[in-house]
Amino acid sequence: MADPIVTTRTPTSATSLAPRSTTPTSATSLAPRSTTDFFSDPLDSHPLWFKPNLFLSPTFDSESYISDLRTFVPFDTLRSQLHSHLSSLNHELIDLINRDYTDFVNLTTKLVDVDAAVLRMRAPLLELRDKIEGFRDCVDKALVSLKCGLKQRSEATYAREVLELLLDTFHVVSKVEKLIKELPSVPSHWSNGDNGDKNSNNNNATIFESNGNSSLRETQSMLLERIASEMNRLKFYMAHAENLPFVENMEKRIQSASLLLDKSLRHCFIDGLGHKDENAIYNCLRAYAAIDNTKNAEEIFRTTIVAPLIQKVLLDGSSGVANGESGDELEGDYEKIKKCIEKDCKFLLDISNAENAGLHVFDFLANSILKEILSAIQKGKPGVFSPGRPTNFLKNYKSSLDFLAHLEGYCPSRTAVTKFRGEAIYNDFMKQWNVGVYFSLRFQEIAGTLDSALTTASLVPVQNPNSDEEISQSLTLRQSVTFLESLRSCWSEEVLIISCSDKFLRLSLQLLSRYSNWLSSGLNAWKMRNANPTPGFEWAMSASPEDFIYVIHDINWLATEVCSGYLDRVLQLLSSCPFEVLNLVKHSISQGGKSLNDLVPLVIKAIIDSLAEKSVEDLRQLKGITATYRMTNKPLPTRHSPYVTGVLRPLKTLIDGERARRYLTDEIRKELLLGAATEITGRYYDLAAELVNVAKRTESSLQKIRKGAQKRAGASSGPSDNNVSEIDKICMQLFLDIQEYGRNLLGLGIEAANISSYCSLWEVVAPADRKNTVSF
């Protein structure tokens, strides 16, 4: 078998049968690699598009493979690559055969008498299979039998459990009925339907007059607690035995026992409350907790103890109204209710809140006391919840919050306080106070008052500056006083609700923005000289510089107040808020104060422009200088013009006036004085320079006309050294005027040489020998 394989091998294959250590290939493999081996592709590498691993995929399809590659690979290139891959596979196959060729050849020589060996092994294997199948049949039969037994056992266990449950239910029902019969001195009519309820309602406090003995009440309450625990067991059994005929047949007995227990427990509890028997009340509460009927106990306490007390308070309140007192105030009623709770309700609260008493499931504060108070207020004084009268509403709201805080004082722990606040009746009570509508009314009141003050057509000074009111002593304009009053109203005790502090903060910022916008819009309207300004901004059109002094003073005072005292007041009221919130509040209010400070330069600019316009009225007399020296033989002027003394008079009058000295700081006065002087001097320069230029052009035109006339007349046109030109006279007059103007500036404390426009004016009108030096 080996000979045919050897004879079919190619020379190349035969060569590979030689030891690898002696072949030239292995020798060259040990030679150092060239640079090409490191920096070029390997010799057996494939193109990126050729992936031999796809041939091993079970879903490989040659036609689809070729059609996909032909879209971007030429057919000849694909064919040559496939031939190369086939050649490499053939070489690998030959290498594999050569590697294990000896074992492959010797395989046939070792396979001797294979059929006989197979026959020898078949018999024991068949026997083993038969035994295994027989054993499996036995196991299956045993498993089926075991499952049937387990099923029967499970059914028997379930039947026994049901039987035990039914027996326990029967025993508990019988026990409950027996215990109910053992109740001492139980009136026979308790089991007669509603008649017992009617009789109990007629006289709740004296139901058990025959059982006035404390020990008898305690014995009865203990027996009722025992019955309640058995009823609790009965409920458990019934929950697990639903739809069973036996239980359905006993349902009437169970309902009758439950009804009788409720009535007996109710009367015992009412009797204990009437006599303030702590032991009886404690046992009754444990009984109510056992049967999970806490609402019934809370309702009994509400109707028996709380309701008469609250009705009595409301009746006293009605008599107070008849005597002339306010009928919609709750503060006095709450004080009376607090005393009643301390006197007649605290004993029950102490019992239910006792440590380790197990009575934490009751909430008499919310479901008995607060519920009755809310119902009584809604019936007797529904007007207290109306925000239409904000002052009374706020007073009653704060009184109610104080009363709730007083009730929370009866809670033994923070957990109890949280539970009290989470009760439905507590939320219903808080929902009665519509603080959203209250804030809307306060918003309209505060914002409307400020808006009415700011829509007046002119600034209104405070009429009584010597008033005892702090605001009137500090502010000068009625608009500013109203603005500050509005700001302070947002955080006053008579207006603020802490739960709406975010809304009142927003309202405060809106008031700051409204006042700032009123000032800035009015100043812009004044600057634009709008003949028909927007309503509310007419004040600036009629305001005088003296009025603007009031505005500057009020802005500075308000900015200081907002960023200091007012801000401190707000932060104090919001001290319970997180530090990050306080920082945001401080930043927002400080920004409002800064927006006020930013308006001061605009007001100063308005005063400067107003003074400059008044000075220009005197400066317009410059035009008379030209008429004085045009076509006349007047000599050179020797003194300044009369108008000069009036140029700075408005500025001096304003700066030296009482308002400026009283309401302007020295810094603002200096800024105002320098700014106005600079602006007036600039206007002076513009008018004087234009006058000189016009005079020069006119003089040049006249000289040309004179020269033409002299040439036509044949007269000599030589210059006359003794004659002074009209332009020289005009410039001399202007020079004398600005010297006087400079002295007037110096009288106000301003160096004229430091004003650039004055220096420019000096150069225009000064004689040639004095242009470089400003002196007067």
Side-chain angles (χ1 to χ4, degrees), residues 596-611:
L596 291 176
N597 280 325
D598 293 340
L599 295 173
V600 174
L602 298 179
V603 183
I604 294 177
K605 184 64 168 60
I607 296 177
I608 291 173
D609 291 342
S610 179
L611 292 174

Side-chain angles (χ1 to χ4, degrees), residues 528-715:
M528 301 300 295
R529 301 299 191 275
N530 191 351
N532 297 315
T534 305
F537 306 136
E538 304 93 337
W539 63 270
M541 306 305 298
S542 60
S544 64
E546 290 77 8
D547 294 333
F548 285 127
I549 292 178
Y550 283 156
V551 174
I552 294 176
H553 168 74
D554 287 0
I555 290 176
N556 288 328
W557 196 95
L558 288 171
T560 303
E561 173 65 15
V562 166
C563 296
S564 56
Y566 182 77
L567 177 59
D568 294 340
R569 168 67 175 168
V570 174
L571 295 179
Q572 180 183 2
L573 292 173
L574 302 179
S575 58
S576 60
C577 296
F579 181 74
E580 295 78 6
V581 174
L582 294 180
N583 277 341
L584 292 175
V585 172
K586 182 178 180 180
H587 176 72
S588 59
I589 295 179
S590 299
Q591 282 294 108
K594 183 178 179 299
S595 66
L596 291 176
N597 280 325
D598 293 340
L599 295 173
V600 174
L602 298 179
V603 183
I604 294 177
K605 184 64 168 60
I607 296 177
I608 291 173
D609 291 342
S610 179
L611 292 174
E613 290 180 356
K614 290 184 177 181
S615 298
V616 168
E617 295 177 1
D618 292 320
L619 289 174
R620 297 187 187 281
Q621 299 181 27
L622 284 172
K623 297 179 179 180
I625 297 176
T626 304
T628 301
Y629 296 102
R630 176 69 62 193
M631 307 297 292
T632 62
N633 294 324
K634 289 186 177 182
L636 280 172
T638 58
R639 60 185 308 274
H640 63 83
S641 301
Y643 76 87
V644 178
T645 57
V647 173
L648 297 177
R649 185 179 294 113
L651 175 59
K652 181 176 178 57
T653 302
L654 181 70
I655 294 298
D656 294 339
E658 181 183 0
R659 291 188 185 181
R661 291 197 308 269
R662 180 177 179 182
Y663 296 115
L664 294 183
T665 62
D666 293 338
E667 182 180 355
I668 294 180
R669 290 181 63 194
K670 291 179 181 179
E671 180 182 358
L672 180 60
L673 185 61
L674 180 60
T678 303
E679 180 68 21
I680 294 171
T681 305
R683 304 279 184 95
Y684 197 172
Y685 167 75
D686 294 337
L687 293 174
E690 181 182 2
L691 178 65
V692 172
N693 291 333
V694 171
K696 289 182 178 180
R697 289 196 297 269
T698 303
E699 181 70 19
S700 176
S701 300
L702 291 175
Q703 287 182 357
K704 291 180 180 179
I705 294 173
R706 289 170 184 166
K707 289 180 179 180
Q710 290 176 356
K711 288 181 179 181
R712 287 193 299 270

Side-chain angles (χ1 to χ4, degrees), residues 282-295:
Y282 176 75
N283 294 330
C284 289
L285 291 180
R286 287 179 59 87
Y288 276 116
I291 61 176
D292 193 21
N293 194 11
T294 58
K295 297 297 182 183

Side-chain angles (χ1 to χ4, degrees), residues 273 276 300-317 332-349 368-369 372-373 376-377 403:
L273 291 174
K276 294 186 178 180
I300 291 172
F301 177 66
R302 184 180 75 87
T303 57
T304 304
I305 303 297
V306 180
L309 298 176
I310 302 302
Q311 291 176 3
K312 182 179 179 181
V313 171
L314 290 179
L315 288 176
D316 293 344
D333 295 337
Y334 282 142
E335 292 299 326
K336 296 177 182 178
I337 293 174
K338 290 178 184 179
K339 295 178 181 179
C340 294
I341 293 174
E342 185 68 22
K343 179 181 178 181
D344 299 317
C345 302
K346 187 177 184 297
F347 74 96
L348 180 63
L349 298 177
S368 297
I369 298 176
E372 180 61 28
I373 292 173
I377 293 176
F403 179 72

